[in-house]
Amino acid sequence: MNAPHHLSYDYSPWTFWTSASDVEREAQHEYQKVFAERAGVTIGERAFLSPLASVDPDALSIGADSFIAAHAYVTGTITIGNDCTVNAFTVVRGNVTMGSGVRIGAHTSILGFNHSMDPSEPVFKQPLTSKGIQLGDDVWIGSNVVVLDGVTVGSHAVLAAGAVVTKDVPEWSIVGGNPARRIRDRRETASAGPSGAGESAFDDELLARLAAFADAARADAPAILSRNWTSAAGGSYVDRPGTAPTVRAHCDAVEIADLLLGCAPLELSREEHISRLQNLQDPLTGLVPELGFDPQGSDGGLRFGSGPATYHVLSVGYAVDLLGSRFLYPVHAVAEMDPAGLVASLEALPWRQEAWESGAWVDAWGTAACWNLAQRHPNSPGSVEAMFGWLLTHVNPGAGTWGTPTADTRLKVVNGYYRLTRGTFAQFGLPVPNVERLVDTVLEHSKDPRYFAPGRQNACNVLDVVHPLWLASKQTMHRRDEVNAWAATQLKQALAWWHPGEGIAFSAAPESGSQHLPTLQGTEMWLAIIWYLADLLCSAEALGYRPRGVHRPEAAFQLPTL
């Protein structure tokens, strides 16, 4: 049975009873009635069960003002107190009891059962065991936490994002890491946010603003895409009305539609989008030139590392991937580069003067290698290994970056770091080196008022800080309070920049001219930036979307392991 209601309630269920219509409320009551008819099920006043959640318990008691959000998986014998939230994509299984005021972040697993492991029998033939999990009152569990069977978490404790909790957690303790260890007593710095857990994952005002922003973006998405579609010459996308069509504009349209609408842009069929983008690829080099490119022009043809074709390795490759297809041809310009040639190219890049340009080259090379591997087209043997080997042996150990950050070069070094790691370590799911020194460098840069004061930000500069900090947060909690404070400040400003029916401008600075006008590029980038800022604060589930293209948080290709 599906209870009709606005989709945002599934991801922000705490907003339901204050804003739902009478019809929506009645539908939720009817939906709960089905559960209440089952033996061993009790549901408190103003509780909310998302119809998109998989709730199939042996017994369930859920208290007043408690919520189970979309795609949660709840089985076993579950007792939930009052004022609790089980956020989206969370797993609660086995014998689990939680007190009142418990908040559980997205993608967390509370596993109140285990397998027997007698070596005389395969695991799958052995019975399950269950010691159970006890969560006290006022417990905050961040995103991507795992709590194992037999654990008791004391009241007022905080489990930091990504923690793997294998032992009991005393009252008031903040724990984090794998395995989780005690960081401090929550009462020691009551005015500061919990280290590693992000700004309050149950900050109702912030979560409501995120949900409202995403609702507005989804409602406006068809108009934005239509606004930037021109019917001339068979139809094409422009970055903003009045400008020339570009390849990137088409790719940004695909990304926005996938993110907000879950489909291809409606101006063409999915098959037509795929055909148009695939047929732009040059079969000899595997590169994608800009629209109107003249192969006989003075630049001598398509070359990897120069012009828009280099970025199109990212934008077109991911757009086609989002549409469910791939490039027609390998990126020969990269596949045919042997380790010696690759190392020579890396050595020749202007790391000291142009760290961003150098990082962008590496980003495109790594992405091209990724697409070749996904097509089962071999790159030159040893070239991917040579890339990572060179990077690991040339990173600046004192800064965690490639290039030396000074007052004059820090912007390009940090921005180049984002491009480089996006296409290599992040894209292949590998940890970044010297992570704590990286956090120091990026936080120093994030204080520069020229780029991050209110009304001075642009999409590149904010993305190139938040993504490295987000990557680092998967490996360390170093200076996490400062990371969270910066993310919260930038997020609250960015949420105010949406132009109804138009999207977001690339730059917040009025003096930036045309960059201060809403564009497809600005909209696509800021949607991803807002997700990363919110995810650092353990609040991204309120948006109800997750990047899957150029700015996807998951690896695009996993290298084989021994």
Side-chain angles (χ1 to χ4, degrees):
M1 173 182 177
N2 289 323
H5 59 277
H6 199 285
L7 184 63
S8 66
Y9 298 138
D10 290 305
Y11 297 93
S12 305
W14 46 87
T15 66
F16 180 81
W17 295 109
T18 58
S19 58
S21 67
D22 290 341
V23 172
E24 290 167 331
R25 292 185 182 206
E26 181 60 29
Q28 176 64 199
H29 283 307
E30 289 297 317
Y31 187 65
Q32 292 183 18
K33 185 177 178 181
V34 174
F35 283 92
E37 291 172 352
R38 298 172 56 169
V41 173
T42 60
I43 301 175
E45 292 292 325
R46 298 174 306 282
F48 178 88
L49 304 179
S50 169
L52 298 181
S54 178
V55 183
D56 187 23
D58 298 322
L60 171 66
S61 174
I62 180 170
D65 301 297
S66 289
F67 316 113
I68 297 178
H71 308 298
Y73 181 30
V74 180
T75 68
T77 301
I78 311 297
T79 300
I80 301 174
N82 300 327
D83 299 294
C84 295
T85 301
V86 177
N87 270 297
F89 300 98
T90 289
V91 174
V92 182
R93 301 188 66 195
N95 186 355
V96 178
T97 299
M98 61 184 78
S100 295
V102 175
R103 294 296 190 272
I104 304 176
H107 300 279
T108 281
S109 295
I110 312 295
L111 305 174
F113 72 99
N114 209 336
H115 278 280
S116 300
M117 293 185 290
D118 187 328
S120 65
E121 288 283 350
V123 169
F124 76 91
K125 291 185 178 182
Q126 297 189 40
L128 297 178
T129 62
S130 180
K131 298 177 182 177
I133 291 173
Q134 301 281 332
L135 306 177
D137 297 328
D138 181 36
V139 171
W140 172 13
I141 302 176
S143 297
N144 295 294
V145 170
V146 177
V147 181
L148 298 183
D149 190 33
V151 166
T152 294
V153 178
S155 295
H156 317 294
V158 174
L159 313 185
V164 178
V165 183
T166 61
K167 298 179 179 179
D168 291 352
V169 178
E171 290 188 355
W172 294 104
S173 293
I174 299 173
V175 303
N178 180 9
R181 59 177 177 81
R182 185 178 183 277
I183 300 171
R184 66 170 185 263
D185 189 293
R186 178 179 164 190
R187 295 165 293 188
E188 289 176 6
T189 54
S191 61
S195 178
E199 185 170 286
S200 175
F202 47 94
D203 179 340
D204 288 344
E205 180 182 356
L206 176 60
L207 292 171
R209 288 188 64 188
L210 288 167
F213 168 85
D215 284 347
R218 275 187 283 269
D220 285 349
I224 292 169
L225 297 173
S226 176
R227 172 179 181 264
N228 291 281
W229 170 260
T230 172
S231 58
S236 53
Y237 289 96
V238 297
D239 193 36
R240 62 179 173 84
T243 60
T246 63
V247 173
R248 178 165 182 171
H250 194 154
C251 298
D252 285 336
V254 171
E255 295 248 11
I256 292 167
D258 180 83
L259 198 68
L260 296 178
L261 304 176
C263 64
L266 300 179
E267 286 71 30
L268 299 171
S269 70
R270 185 181 70 86
E271 291 73 19
E272 289 173 319
H273 283 292
I274 293 171
S275 176
R276 285 203 180 189
L277 292 172
Q278 284 181 332
N279 289 330
L280 293 173
Q281 191 182 23
D282 173 48
L284 296 179
T285 62
L287 299 174
V288 177
E290 186 54 271
L291 299 177
F293 170 76
D294 180 6
Q296 306 301 320
S298 59
D299 63 0
L302 283 175
R303 293 192 304 273
F304 180 80
S306 63
T310 303
Y311 187 78
H312 293 164
V313 172
L314 280 66
S315 58
V316 179
Y318 272 104
V320 175
D321 181 68
L322 287 173
L323 294 165
S325 191
R326 294 176 179 171
F327 275 133
L328 289 175
Y329 311 104
V331 184
H332 295 293
V334 166
E336 296 167 5
M337 191 180 298
D338 63 19
L342 171 61
V343 169
S345 296
L346 291 168
E347 297 282 0
L349 291 172
W351 293 100
R352 293 186 181 276
Q353 296 80 22
E354 292 292 341
W356 182 90
E357 178 183 322
S358 302
W361 190 97
V362 173
D363 186 4
W365 195 98
T367 304
C370 174
W371 298 138
N372 291 344
L373 289 167
Q375 288 180 293
R376 300 187 182 279
H377 181 90
N379 297 293
S380 180
S383 59
V384 173
E385 292 81 358
M387 167 64 78
F388 282 106
W390 191 92
L391 292 175
L392 288 171
T393 53
H394 287 74
V395 65
N396 183 327
T401 59
W402 289 266
T404 301
T406 65
D408 295 329
T409 65
R410 190 173 288 110
L411 173 67
K412 289 185 177 181
V413 168
V414 172
N415 289 9
Y417 180 94
Y418 159 69
R419 289 295 306 271
L420 182 152
T421 54
R422 194 222 68 85
T424 53
F425 293 92
Q427 191 160 233
F428 288 92
L430 298 174
V432 295
N434 305 99
V435 66
E436 292 190 352
R437 300 293 73 77
L438 165 71
V439 171
D440 293 339
T441 298
V442 175
L443 283 177
E444 181 65 24
H445 174 55
S446 74
K447 300 173 185 177
D448 195 322
R450 292 176 295 176
Y451 312 117
F452 305 106
R456 303 296 305 170
Q457 303 96 322
N458 69 44
C460 277
N461 291 342
V462 179
L463 175 64
D464 296 357
V465 167
V466 69
H467 191 272
L469 292 178
W470 183 89
L471 268 184
S473 75
K474 306 307 171 186
Q475 297 175 228
T476 181
M477 291 181 288
H478 181 58
R479 299 177 69 178
R480 188 61 188 270
D481 291 343
E482 296 171 68
V483 171
N484 294 343
W486 183 87
T489 298
Q490 297 298 322
L491 176 59
K492 290 172 182 177
Q493 293 178 54
L495 290 175
W497 294 337
W498 186 262
H499 294 254
E502 298 179 316
I504 306 184
F506 176 83
S507 173
E511 63 271 22
S512 61
S514 62
Q515 290 189 346
H516 190 55
L517 300 174
T519 59
L520 289 181
Q521 179 185 349
T523 302
E524 185 275 323
M525 292 184 71
W526 279 109
L527 286 170
I529 291 165
I530 286 168
W531 185 91
Y532 277 102
L533 290 167
D535 199 58
L536 273 174
L537 301 172
C538 303
S539 300
E541 64 272 10
L543 292 166
Y545 67 73
R546 187 179 183 89
R548 299 197 312 129
V550 172
H551 302 116
R552 61 182 290 167
E554 291 82 19
F557 189 89
Q558 294 285 350
L559 292 169
T561 56
L562 298 177

